[in-house]
Amino acid sequence: MHVRDDFWSSWVQTILVLESSRSRRFRPELKEPFFEYLGLFEYARVLDVGCGPGTFARYLARYIKPPGLIWGIDRDRTFIEYARRRAEKRGVSGYMKYAVADALALPFDDGTFDSVTSYTLIEHAPNPEVLVREMARVCKPGGTISVMAVLSVESEHGLLRDPFDRRIEELFRKFRKAIEPLEEAYHVGRGLPIEEIPRLFERLSLVEIRISGFYTPFCLDDARYPLAEKERILREELTEPTEGFVSRLFEAFPEEFGEGSPARAEAEELLRLVRERCERRLHELRSGVRRWTVEGRPSLIVSGRKGKAP
Ligand SMILES: C[S@@+](CC[C@H](N)C(=O)[O-])C[C@H]1O[C@@H](n2cnc3c(N)ncnc32)[C@H](O)[C@@H]1O
């Protein structure tokens, strides 16, 4: 199957979804842990592999300064173009750089970076061993390679969980099946189980392997978020991505989702339920009704150092 260079941003997670969820996850108070676990320092040369729209790279740029350097690479051109525009707008494109590239064939010389990291990429990498070997290759001897992955523990207290959600989830799962062949071709969620990562680090002779992690719970009633922000989260992360997904389904499978078809009726039901849920929750937020439901999954960080040449 032809690898479309905007597959991820079109079908799996949009720019908005990644930006919004990640910017909440990478909180300022995590600076010290990230520095410690990822082997960072003020003038480090860092590479973020599978950087998506560059949210983590921009987080790091608050703390890493020239002559330090931050590079992000991703296969998805839409993400990279967006990340570049953001860097240019901030006038930092001299030390925040991005490239469309394959994580399994990194376009850098051996030993270029002090720290090479990735967030939620290894779960989708068709060949995790090649991925980590590449990360280690472009890392300097003595530098740190880190792989961050989200643990798949289901939260009992999912965001906005209410009786309508069960039907939304059921319909959503059903429609995601339509793109299973695409997901398989792109290896989405079919990479290395995360408990295998430390063994992979061992096999690749990385040293001082450490297991760390972070957890940023998210609660819509959290006082950190002003009302306008809560409203934005509801629309941009929950409602609009579903609308986008359904309209792409209509385009990609015109026969199955033709006017009057059963699939079309169910897709329209999904849209209606999602919009109703959003309106209901917006109404609650504006009238001060709190639910205190918490969602979020912990992220594991496996890090190791590249041994110095004898
Ligand atoms: C779950 S997203 C994470 C993006 C980003 N790290 C973040 O957390 O916002 C996975 C990313 O890996 C990228 N990706 C998947 N396989 C890739 C490959 N072989 N080479 C480069 N990027 C890849 C996708 O395009 C997508 O942006």
Side-chain angles (χ1 to χ4, degrees), residues 7-9 12-13 18-19 21-22 25-26 48-56 73-76 79 101-104 118-121 123-126 186:
F7 166 74
W8 204 280
S9 55
V12 188
Q13 288 159 309
L18 282 174
E19 274 276 71
S21 60
R22 271 43 178 178
R25 228 171 267 182
F26 306 135
D48 182 8
V49 184
C51 64
T55 323
F56 191 53
I73 70 100
D74 200 284
R75 195 166 60 177
D76 191 299
F79 287 150
D102 185 356
L104 305 185
S118 72
Y119 186 70
T120 60
L121 168 66
E123 302 95 314
H124 315 291
Y186 286 84

Side-chain angles (χ1 to χ4, degrees), residues 4 15 21 26 30 32 56-57 72 155 182 195 216 270 274:
R4 270 181 54 173
I15 291 176
S21 60
F26 306 135
L30 291 172
E32 292 302 327
F56 191 53
S155 161
L182 267 177
E195 60 275 18
T216 323
L270 173 66
V274 165

Side-chain angles (χ1 to χ4, degrees), residues 26-132:
F26 306 135
R27 281 191 190 151
E29 63 266 30
L30 291 172
K31 180 210 161 188
E32 292 302 327
F34 278 133
F35 265 51
E36 162 85 16
Y37 306 150
L38 274 49
L40 301 172
F41 48 93
E42 196 177 359
Y43 304 121
R45 295 168 71 91
V46 190
L47 170 65
D48 182 8
V49 184
C51 64
T55 323
F56 191 53
R58 278 188 296 282
Y59 171 85
L60 294 178
R62 297 187 207 167
Y63 313 114
I64 292 172
K65 300 279 168 288
L69 187 65
I70 301 168
W71 264 98
I73 70 100
D74 200 284
R75 195 166 60 177
D76 191 299
R77 185 171 300 279
T78 305
F79 287 150
I80 292 300
E81 284 169 0
Y82 168 86
R84 277 200 187 125
R85 279 198 303 277
R86 293 283 309 257
E88 275 157 24
K89 230 170 159 179
R90 259 171 68 173
V92 292
S93 48
Y95 88 108
M96 279 192 83
K97 294 175 177 290
Y98 297 96
V100 176
D102 185 356
L104 305 185
L106 293 170
F108 301 104
D109 291 337
D110 295 2
T112 303
F113 298 97
D114 299 295
S115 169
V116 182
T117 191
S118 72
Y119 186 70
T120 60
L121 168 66
I122 201 156
E123 302 95 314
H124 315 291
N127 193 333
E129 182 147 347
V130 174
L131 167 67
V132 179

Side-chain angles (χ1 to χ4, degrees), residues 97-294:
K97 294 175 177 290
Y98 297 96
V100 176
D102 185 356
L104 305 185
L106 293 170
F108 301 104
D109 291 337
D110 295 2
T112 303
F113 298 97
D114 299 295
S115 169
V116 182
T117 191
S118 72
Y119 186 70
T120 60
L121 168 66
I122 201 156
E123 302 95 314
H124 315 291
N127 193 333
E129 182 147 347
V130 174
L131 167 67
V132 179
R133 196 180 306 128
E134 271 298 89
M135 291 173 75
R137 181 184 65 76
V138 300
C139 186
K140 288 179 187 165
T144 301
I145 296 104
S146 51
V147 166
M148 302 190 267
V150 172
L151 288 171
S152 58
V153 283
E154 281 300 326
S155 161
E156 294 252 310
H157 314 281
L159 180 73
L160 312 172
R161 217 157 269 280
D162 66 25
F164 286 88
D165 284 354
R166 214 162 301 149
R167 180 68 179 147
I168 291 176
E169 275 165 26
E170 191 188 333
L171 288 169
F172 212 76
R173 255 202 302 275
K174 192 165 174 179
F175 293 131
R176 284 221 75 95
K177 273 202 176 309
I179 65 156
E180 254 176 23
L182 267 177
E183 291 195 334
E184 202 158 327
Y186 286 84
H187 233 261
V188 178
R190 287 156 174 82
L192 190 71
I194 63 180
E195 60 275 18
E196 295 294 325
I197 304 172
R199 287 191 208 298
L200 175 55
F201 272 44
E202 272 184 328
R203 276 207 300 285
L204 295 174
S205 307
L206 298 177
V207 296
E208 291 175 44
I209 298 168
R210 295 203 281 163
I211 308 298
S212 317
F214 68 98
Y215 174 49
T216 323
F218 172 64
C219 175
L220 203 58
D221 296 308
D222 190 320
R224 280 183 184 82
Y225 313 118
L227 183 61
E229 174 77 358
K230 296 177 206 258
E231 294 185 352
R232 190 194 60 71
I233 291 169
L234 272 170
R235 291 218 164 87
E236 290 183 358
E237 285 188 45
L238 291 168
T239 312
E240 288 169 17
T242 308
E243 290 169 344
F245 178 70
V246 168
S247 73
R248 279 190 299 278
L249 276 180
F250 290 174
E251 271 169 41
F253 306 98
E255 278 171 23
E256 201 180 333
F257 289 92
E259 286 295 344
S261 65
R264 179 98 176 194
E266 284 192 322
E268 279 163 0
E269 181 191 352
L270 173 66
L271 285 178
R272 183 175 49 76
L273 290 175
V274 165
R275 287 175 186 144
E276 277 174 16
R277 175 177 69 177
C278 181
E279 286 315 310
R280 207 172 38 250
R281 198 68 180 93
L282 282 173
H283 177 72
E284 284 179 357
L285 287 172
R286 288 174 191 143
S287 25
V289 176
R290 304 204 207 294
R291 292 197 186 193
W292 297 116
T293 50
V294 175

